[in-house]
Amino acid sequence: MTTHAQITGIGSYLPQRVLTNAELETLVDTSDEWILSRTGIRERRIVAEGQATSDLATAALSTAIASAGIGPGDIDLLVVGTSSPDMIFPSTACIVQDLLGLACPAYDVNAACSGFIYALHAGVTAIESGRAKRAAIVGADALTRHIDFTDRTTCVLFGDGAGAVILEAGENAGVLGVALGADGSGGDLLKVQAGGSAHPMTHEALDTRKNFVTMNGNEVFRFAVKAIPRATMEALEASGLTVADLDWLVPHQANQRIIQTVEQRLGIPHDRVFSHVDRVGNTSAGSIPLALDDLYTSGRLSPGNLVALVGFGAGLTWGAAVIRWTMARPIKEA
Ligand code: ACO
């Protein structure tokens, strides 16, 4: 009998500190009107002093573990998608493993904003091959740690956050199909140059601001509106489904104009495309599981629903997963 991977638990975490467009107006030459019309973002959350990516990941994963009705000892694989790890090593996954008391292999995957889909692919592959029974998959980033708050072209876009799911082996199909892609020739379009082996964190690197995110926004936009429909179609094809079968599309929350363009290109009705980019901005690898958790906890996902998750990011990377939702609707508190 074929073993499938199902999502049996979900959780997310946003830091408390809200950074509004009005506050950004005091930092750089920008306006609420510009940010809203070009990106759809009103506010984002940012990490507190002393808070690291592992803290966001740990909070999201502990909620996901509780929602699956299991304990940390039941998990036999932990994969964290992140491009803003706590440090070069140990991996953020190992830090989270220790904080939550897990006893399983743990590793990070760096595919920037596609990190959650890449991590999900690793978990699904491990479960379908019989190498794992319960995998914890996390997408977490504190990318504002690498943002230049004097650069108006990037500082208005990003926020921090994390989301996590528990994947379990089962007989019924949950994750139906996953499609991944990468094109390293586009690496220069979006990068943080310093801090690695090519450009160690020297005084010179800091003076030339190589420690911050740089981006060719127009080119990344053009890439995104092609990559998202293509990845979605590939994952649908792998699942034997079409766009018309989807109850929800949950795209990476980078920019409302990208989401709108993708809606049109895929021909999917607006009310089936989830967006909360206005409240969170681009949380990188945290984005897709945060959005999925918001969709779930707000009671808009029912068992049997077909959901496509799709991301794109630095690398360049992209990926999509088609899921038949199997978790019962959340119990509303009185
Ligand atoms: N406030 C005011 N003006 C601004 C701002 C700002 N925050 N940022 C740029 N501008 C100016 C520019 O300087 C330019 O001025 P100019 O015409 O005098 O030169 C003008 O606005 C237009 O700039 P564009 O870059 O053409 O604006 P555009 O409409 O393309 O929007 C944006 C820029 C929002 C960055 C868009 O290109 C975009 O969303 N790209 C995709 C970004 C993205 O999704 N990145 C995440 C990838 S995922 C990952 O892996 C991290």
Side-chain angles (χ1 to χ4, degrees), residues 198-227:
H199 296 278
M201 197 65 84
T202 56
H203 287 291
E204 193 266 336
L206 292 173
D207 290 343
T208 52
R209 308 184 93 72
K210 288 197 176 75
N211 56 315
F212 291 125
V213 170
T214 57
M215 180 176 70
N216 179 333
N218 290 310
E219 286 300 322
V220 173
F221 194 105
R222 266 195 279 277
F223 152 68
V225 296
K226 277 195 214 129

Short mmCIF file of all heavy atoms in Angstrom, two decimals, residues 198-227:
data_model
loop_
_atom_site.label_atom_id
_atom_site.label_comp_id
_atom_site.label_asym_id
_atom_site.label_seq_id
_atom_site.Cartn_x
_atom_site.Cartn_y
_atom_site.Cartn_z
N ALA A 198 32.37 33.77 0.72
CA ALA A 198 32.82 34.64 -0.38
C ALA A 198 33.14 36.04 0.12
O ALA A 198 34.12 36.65 -0.32
CB ALA A 198 31.73 34.71 -1.46
N HIS A 199 32.31 36.54 1.01
CA HIS A 199 32.53 37.88 1.58
C HIS A 199 32.31 37.81 3.08
O HIS A 199 31.21 38.06 3.56
CB HIS A 199 31.54 38.90 0.98
CG HIS A 199 31.71 39.12 -0.48
ND1 HIS A 199 32.66 39.96 -1.01
CD2 HIS A 199 31.06 38.58 -1.53
CE1 HIS A 199 32.58 39.95 -2.32
NE2 HIS A 199 31.62 39.12 -2.67
N PRO A 200 33.37 37.43 3.82
CA PRO A 200 33.20 37.37 5.28
C PRO A 200 32.79 38.73 5.84
O PRO A 200 32.95 39.76 5.17
CB PRO A 200 34.60 36.97 5.77
CG PRO A 200 35.28 36.39 4.59
CD PRO A 200 34.71 37.06 3.38
N MET A 201 32.24 38.71 7.04
CA MET A 201 31.74 39.96 7.64
C MET A 201 32.90 40.81 8.14
O MET A 201 33.28 40.76 9.31
CB MET A 201 30.76 39.62 8.77
CG MET A 201 29.89 40.79 9.16
SD MET A 201 28.79 41.30 7.84
CE MET A 201 27.44 40.16 8.07
N THR A 202 33.47 41.60 7.22
CA THR A 202 34.61 42.46 7.56
C THR A 202 34.10 43.89 7.74
O THR A 202 32.97 44.21 7.38
CB THR A 202 35.62 42.45 6.41
OG1 THR A 202 34.91 42.87 5.23
CG2 THR A 202 36.21 41.07 6.18
N HIS A 203 34.96 44.75 8.23
CA HIS A 203 34.61 46.18 8.34
C HIS A 203 34.26 46.73 6.95
O HIS A 203 33.33 47.52 6.80
CB HIS A 203 35.75 46.98 8.96
CG HIS A 203 35.88 46.72 10.42
ND1 HIS A 203 34.95 47.15 11.34
CD2 HIS A 203 36.82 46.06 11.13
CE1 HIS A 203 35.31 46.77 12.55
NE2 HIS A 203 36.44 46.10 12.46
N GLU A 204 35.04 46.27 5.95
CA GLU A 204 34.80 46.74 4.58
C GLU A 204 33.39 46.33 4.11
O GLU A 204 32.68 47.11 3.49
CB GLU A 204 35.90 46.16 3.65
CG GLU A 204 35.98 46.79 2.27
CD GLU A 204 35.18 46.04 1.22
OE1 GLU A 204 34.95 44.82 1.41
OE2 GLU A 204 34.76 46.67 0.22
N ALA A 205 33.01 45.08 4.44
CA ALA A 205 31.68 44.60 4.05
C ALA A 205 30.59 45.46 4.70
O ALA A 205 29.60 45.81 4.05
CB ALA A 205 31.52 43.13 4.46
N LEU A 206 30.80 45.80 5.95
CA LEU A 206 29.81 46.63 6.66
C LEU A 206 29.77 48.04 6.07
O LEU A 206 28.70 48.60 5.85
CB LEU A 206 30.13 46.69 8.15
CG LEU A 206 29.95 45.38 8.93
CD1 LEU A 206 30.46 45.53 10.35
CD2 LEU A 206 28.49 44.95 8.95
N ASP A 207 30.98 48.60 5.80
CA ASP A 207 31.04 49.96 5.26
C ASP A 207 30.34 50.07 3.90
O ASP A 207 29.78 51.10 3.57
CB ASP A 207 32.51 50.42 5.12
CG ASP A 207 33.16 50.64 6.47
OD1 ASP A 207 32.42 50.75 7.48
OD2 ASP A 207 34.41 50.68 6.54
N THR A 208 30.42 48.98 3.11
CA THR A 208 29.79 49.01 1.79
C THR A 208 28.39 48.39 1.82
O THR A 208 27.81 48.13 0.77
CB THR A 208 30.67 48.27 0.76
OG1 THR A 208 30.98 46.96 1.28
CG2 THR A 208 31.96 49.00 0.48
N ARG A 209 27.87 48.16 2.99
CA ARG A 209 26.50 47.68 3.24
C ARG A 209 26.20 46.36 2.53
O ARG A 209 25.07 46.10 2.12
CB ARG A 209 25.48 48.76 2.84
CG ARG A 209 25.78 50.11 3.49
CD ARG A 209 24.74 51.16 3.19
NE ARG A 209 23.69 51.23 4.19
CZ ARG A 209 23.83 51.71 5.42
NH1 ARG A 209 25.00 52.16 5.81
NH2 ARG A 209 22.82 51.76 6.25
N LYS A 210 27.24 45.50 2.40
CA LYS A 210 27.04 44.19 1.76
C LYS A 210 26.35 43.21 2.70
O LYS A 210 26.05 42.08 2.32
CB LYS A 210 28.38 43.61 1.29
CG LYS A 210 28.97 44.30 0.09
CD LYS A 210 30.05 43.44 -0.56
CE LYS A 210 30.59 44.04 -1.82
NZ LYS A 210 31.50 45.17 -1.58
N ASN A 211 26.14 43.63 3.94
CA ASN A 211 25.46 42.76 4.92
C ASN A 211 23.95 42.85 4.80
O ASN A 211 23.24 42.19 5.56
CB ASN A 211 25.89 43.13 6.35
CG ASN A 211 25.64 44.59 6.68
OD1 ASN A 211 25.95 45.46 5.86
ND2 ASN A 211 25.11 44.87 7.84
N PHE A 212 23.45 43.66 3.86
CA PHE A 212 22.00 43.85 3.75
C PHE A 212 21.43 43.25 2.45
O PHE A 212 22.17 43.04 1.49
CB PHE A 212 21.67 45.35 3.76
CG PHE A 212 21.91 46.02 5.08
CD1 PHE A 212 22.73 47.14 5.16
CD2 PHE A 212 21.31 45.54 6.24
CE1 PHE A 212 22.94 47.78 6.38
CE2 PHE A 212 21.52 46.18 7.47
CZ PHE A 212 22.33 47.29 7.53
N VAL A 213 20.12 43.04 2.46
CA VAL A 213 19.42 42.56 1.26
C VAL A 213 19.50 43.62 0.16
O VAL A 213 19.23 44.80 0.40
CB VAL A 213 17.91 42.31 1.58
CG1 VAL A 213 17.12 42.05 0.30
CG2 VAL A 213 17.74 41.16 2.56
N THR A 214 19.90 43.17 -1.04
CA THR A 214 19.78 44.04 -2.22
C THR A 214 18.89 43.32 -3.22
O THR A 214 18.87 42.08 -3.28
CB THR A 214 21.14 44.33 -2.89
OG1 THR A 214 21.76 43.07 -3.23
CG2 THR A 214 22.06 45.13 -1.98
N MET A 215 18.14 44.08 -3.97
CA MET A 215 17.15 43.45 -4.86
C MET A 215 16.91 44.30 -6.10
O MET A 215 16.84 45.52 -6.01
CB MET A 215 15.82 43.31 -4.09
CG MET A 215 14.73 42.67 -4.92
SD MET A 215 13.23 42.43 -3.96
CE MET A 215 12.70 44.10 -3.74
N ASN A 216 16.77 43.62 -7.23
CA ASN A 216 16.27 44.27 -8.45
C ASN A 216 14.76 43.99 -8.48
O ASN A 216 14.32 42.95 -8.97
CB ASN A 216 16.99 43.69 -9.68
CG ASN A 216 16.50 44.31 -10.97
OD1 ASN A 216 15.36 44.76 -11.06
ND2 ASN A 216 17.36 44.32 -11.97
N GLY A 217 14.00 44.91 -7.91
CA GLY A 217 12.57 44.70 -7.70
C GLY A 217 11.79 44.40 -8.97
O GLY A 217 10.96 43.49 -9.01
N ASN A 218 12.09 45.16 -10.04
CA ASN A 218 11.35 44.96 -11.29
C ASN A 218 11.56 43.58 -11.88
O ASN A 218 10.63 42.92 -12.33
CB ASN A 218 11.75 46.02 -12.32
CG ASN A 218 11.25 47.39 -11.93
OD1 ASN A 218 10.08 47.55 -11.62
ND2 ASN A 218 12.12 48.37 -11.90
N GLU A 219 12.83 43.13 -11.86
CA GLU A 219 13.14 41.80 -12.42
C GLU A 219 12.53 40.70 -11.55
O GLU A 219 12.04 39.69 -12.07
CB GLU A 219 14.66 41.60 -12.53
CG GLU A 219 15.30 42.38 -13.66
CD GLU A 219 14.74 42.00 -15.03
OE1 GLU A 219 14.48 40.80 -15.26
OE2 GLU A 219 14.57 42.91 -15.86
N VAL A 220 12.58 40.88 -10.23
CA VAL A 220 12.00 39.86 -9.34
C VAL A 220 10.49 39.79 -9.57
O VAL A 220 9.90 38.71 -9.60
CB VAL A 220 12.34 40.14 -7.86
CG1 VAL A 220 11.61 39.18 -6.93
CG2 VAL A 220 13.85 40.03 -7.62
N PHE A 221 9.88 40.94 -9.76
CA PHE A 221 8.43 40.99 -10.04
C PHE A 221 8.12 40.18 -11.32
O PHE A 221 7.23 39.33 -11.34
CB PHE A 221 8.00 42.45 -10.23
CG PHE A 221 6.51 42.67 -10.20
CD1 PHE A 221 5.90 43.22 -9.09
CD2 PHE A 221 5.71 42.31 -11.28
CE1 PHE A 221 4.52 43.43 -9.05
CE2 PHE A 221 4.34 42.51 -11.26
CZ PHE A 221 3.74 43.07 -10.13
N ARG A 222 8.90 40.46 -12.36
CA ARG A 222 8.68 39.76 -13.65
C ARG A 222 8.84 38.25 -13.49
O ARG A 222 8.07 37.46 -14.05
CB ARG A 222 9.67 40.28 -14.70
CG ARG A 222 9.08 41.40 -15.55
CD ARG A 222 9.92 41.64 -16.79
NE ARG A 222 11.07 42.46 -16.51
CZ ARG A 222 11.03 43.79 -16.45
NH1 ARG A 222 9.90 44.42 -16.69
NH2 ARG A 222 12.10 44.49 -16.17
N PHE A 223 9.87 37.86 -12.74
CA PHE A 223 10.12 36.43 -12.50
C PHE A 223 8.94 35.82 -11.74
O PHE A 223 8.43 34.75 -12.10
CB PHE A 223 11.43 36.29 -11.72
CG PHE A 223 11.51 35.06 -10.85
CD1 PHE A 223 11.57 33.79 -11.42
CD2 PHE A 223 11.51 35.16 -9.47
CE1 PHE A 223 11.63 32.66 -10.61
CE2 PHE A 223 11.57 34.04 -8.66
CZ PHE A 223 11.62 32.78 -9.23
N ALA A 224 8.47 36.52 -10.70
CA ALA A 224 7.44 35.98 -9.82
C ALA A 224 6.13 35.70 -10.57
O ALA A 224 5.51 34.65 -10.39
CB ALA A 224 7.17 36.94 -8.66
N VAL A 225 5.74 36.63 -11.43
CA VAL A 225 4.44 36.45 -12.10
C VAL A 225 4.48 35.36 -13.17
O VAL A 225 3.44 34.92 -13.65
CB VAL A 225 3.89 37.78 -12.67
CG1 VAL A 225 3.61 38.77 -11.54
CG2 VAL A 225 4.82 38.38 -13.71
N LYS A 226 5.71 34.92 -13.53
CA LYS A 226 5.83 33.74 -14.42
C LYS A 226 5.96 32.47 -13.59
O LYS A 226 5.36 31.44 -13.90
CB LYS A 226 7.07 33.88 -15.30
CG LYS A 226 6.85 34.72 -16.53
CD LYS A 226 8.01 34.49 -17.51
CE LYS A 226 8.30 35.78 -18.26
NZ LYS A 226 9.69 36.15 -18.24
N ALA A 227 6.81 32.55 -12.55
CA ALA A 227 7.15 31.34 -11.78
C ALA A 227 5.95 30.79 -11.01
O ALA A 227 5.76 29.57 -10.92
CB ALA A 227 8.29 31.64 -10.81
#
